[in-house]
Amino acid sequence: MLQLGLLITNRHRLLSVAAILDVFESVNSFYERASQPHFFNITLFSPDPEPGKFYGAYPMKPINEFTKQDLILVPAFGSGDVQLSITSNQCCIPWLWEQYKNGAELASFCTGAFLLAAGGLLNGKHATTHIDAAEALASNFPDIIMKSDAVVTEDKGIFTSGGATSSFHLMLYLIQRFCGKDFTLRTAKMFAIDMDREQQTYFGTFAPPQNHGDGLVNMAQQKIEKEYQEGSTIEVLIQDIPASRRNVVRRFKQAIGVTPIEYLQRTRIEAAKKLLAQTDQSVLEVMLNSGYNDLKSFRQLFKKSTGVTPKEYRDKFNIARLETGGRWNRRMSGASYLD
């Protein structure tokens, strides 16, 4: 029986914990139906040193009572201030290190990676997190080998997952590793998980900060966001900004984390994504209305940014197509796994 510890962090996302328990309890039920003992012995751990607490029907063990585990899962944090979430869970870091040094493998889901990163557990290792939090993780913890487009990473006994439903892919990865392919397929069918997802880039949204305090950069941002459709080069767009190009680039990078030309490209790609998802414009019309004038170049840049072609993106996210039900309903029913 594998000792599976679930760390109930402060400020965790309730849905993350619920999904983890649901999946691993279901795997245990598969074993039970086969008249076999449960594969996972699930124990919940609390940062609170006070004993006798429960999480639903589960008793929780304080982390100051060391109990060796084989695998420890760190759920996603809830929305809000990630730094506050890290601070409120600092006491967990020595415990995670002790478990890791004693042979436990660690797995974080979505933004749970920030806790591992804060403790130095991801230094020099490949890691991922929610696509919209990837830049923050990489910039705050530069010793990580960031794989922002990855759905799942594994490096030296530490696993991480991308955002939201990517957590299910990490759970499937762990189930296959410990229980084999048969139990993995049964779990995928039960939860209607699309097993062929290889990257999460297309889920990302470009939402650059506006409250960084640099008025000159704000001026450049507003100029780009207002005139990106005109097809102008970045040099033309920022020519009226009262500073040298080198100074604008330096301050842009410092305030936002990207250069002005990267900002322009990502603004245009974000506009294209919205048009593909919300309108029936042709790919050519989307290209022109996003500020591009070369279809081949647009397709290449779009795929580089999102991991899929414009047509594939529309197939996945166009609102009108989703409302028709066909492909969406087939995927949600899990029919593709039963063929």
Side-chain angles (χ1 to χ4, degrees), residues 85 99 129 131 151 184-185 206 275 300:
S85 297
Q99 291 283 357
T129 185
I131 187 66
V151 175
T184 306
L185 291 173
F206 183 48
L275 290 172
Q300 289 174 339

Side-chain angles (χ1 to χ4, degrees), residues 91-311:
C91 62
C92 299
I93 291 174
W95 180 77
L96 288 168
W97 265 112
E98 187 176 11
Q99 291 283 357
Y100 185 56
K101 289 177 180 177
N102 278 276
E105 295 184 301
L106 310 179
S108 68
F109 296 86
C110 192
T111 49
F114 279 82
L115 183 60
L116 299 185
L121 284 153
L122 295 179
N123 288 355
K125 298 182 181 69
H126 296 85
T128 189
T129 185
H130 193 291
I131 187 66
D132 289 340
E135 286 187 7
L137 185 66
S139 60
N140 283 284
F141 305 101
D143 292 330
I144 295 174
I145 304 171
M146 195 67 209
K147 297 292 181 181
S148 57
D149 62 337
V151 175
V152 172
T153 66
E154 175 185 5
D155 199 336
K156 299 181 177 66
I158 297 184
F159 308 83
T160 63
S161 85
T165 55
S166 294
S167 296
F168 284 96
H169 292 82
L170 175 52
M171 287 187 268
L172 288 182
Y173 189 89
L174 295 170
I175 292 164
Q176 179 158 337
R177 187 165 192 255
F178 294 112
C179 305
K181 187 174 182 179
D182 179 59
F183 286 99
T184 306
L185 291 173
R186 291 175 69 180
T187 306
K189 288 180 180 180
M190 182 174 184
F191 289 92
I193 303 169
D194 185 2
M195 290 180 67
D196 63 358
R197 184 189 300 172
E198 296 179 353
Q199 48 86 28
Q200 62 166 347
T201 312
Y202 47 75
F203 289 112
T205 302
F206 183 48
Q210 303 284 343
N211 59 347
H212 42 70
D214 191 322
L216 184 142
V217 173
N218 279 132
M219 188 185 305
Q221 286 179 273
Q222 291 167 16
K223 181 80 170 176
I224 292 170
E225 290 165 9
K226 182 180 179 182
E227 301 180 14
Y228 71 87
Q229 290 175 297
E230 297 180 8
S232 302
T233 64
I234 191 63
E235 285 75 13
V236 172
L237 287 173
I238 65 173
Q239 64 183 355
D240 295 331
I241 304 298
S244 68
R245 186 183 189 282
R246 178 179 291 182
N247 191 27
V248 172
V249 170
R250 178 183 61 80
R251 290 169 67 169
F252 228 90
K253 187 78 173 176
Q254 186 175 31
I256 303 177
V258 297
T259 65
I261 191 168
E262 289 171 326
Y263 193 96
L264 174 61
Q265 295 288 11
R266 294 179 69 172
T267 299
R268 286 174 169 166
I269 293 297
E270 195 63 30
K273 287 161 62 178
K274 288 180 181 178
L275 290 172
L276 290 166
Q278 298 174 11
T279 76
D280 61 356
Q281 292 181 16
S282 68
V283 172
L284 178 61
E285 290 174 309
V286 168
M287 176 201 76
L288 294 171
N289 289 327
S290 303
Y292 294 101
N293 53 29
D294 182 276
L295 192 56
K296 182 179 179 181
S297 175
F298 167 65
R299 285 194 173 113
Q300 289 174 339
L301 288 168
F302 192 92
K303 186 166 186 178
K304 182 179 179 182
S305 177
T306 66
V308 293
T309 65
K311 182 182 182 302

Side-chain angles (χ1 to χ4, degrees), residues 52-88:
K53 294 200 168 185
F54 280 76
Y55 192 92
Y58 279 93
M60 293 200 293
K61 288 190 175 183
I63 57 174
N64 58 4
E65 297 178 10
F66 185 79
T67 306
K68 186 181 183 305
Q69 300 296 293
D70 298 309
L71 176 64
I72 293 173
L73 309 181
V74 180
F77 288 129
S79 57
D81 189 340
V82 174
Q83 184 56 54
L84 182 58
S85 297
I86 293 172
T87 302
S88 66

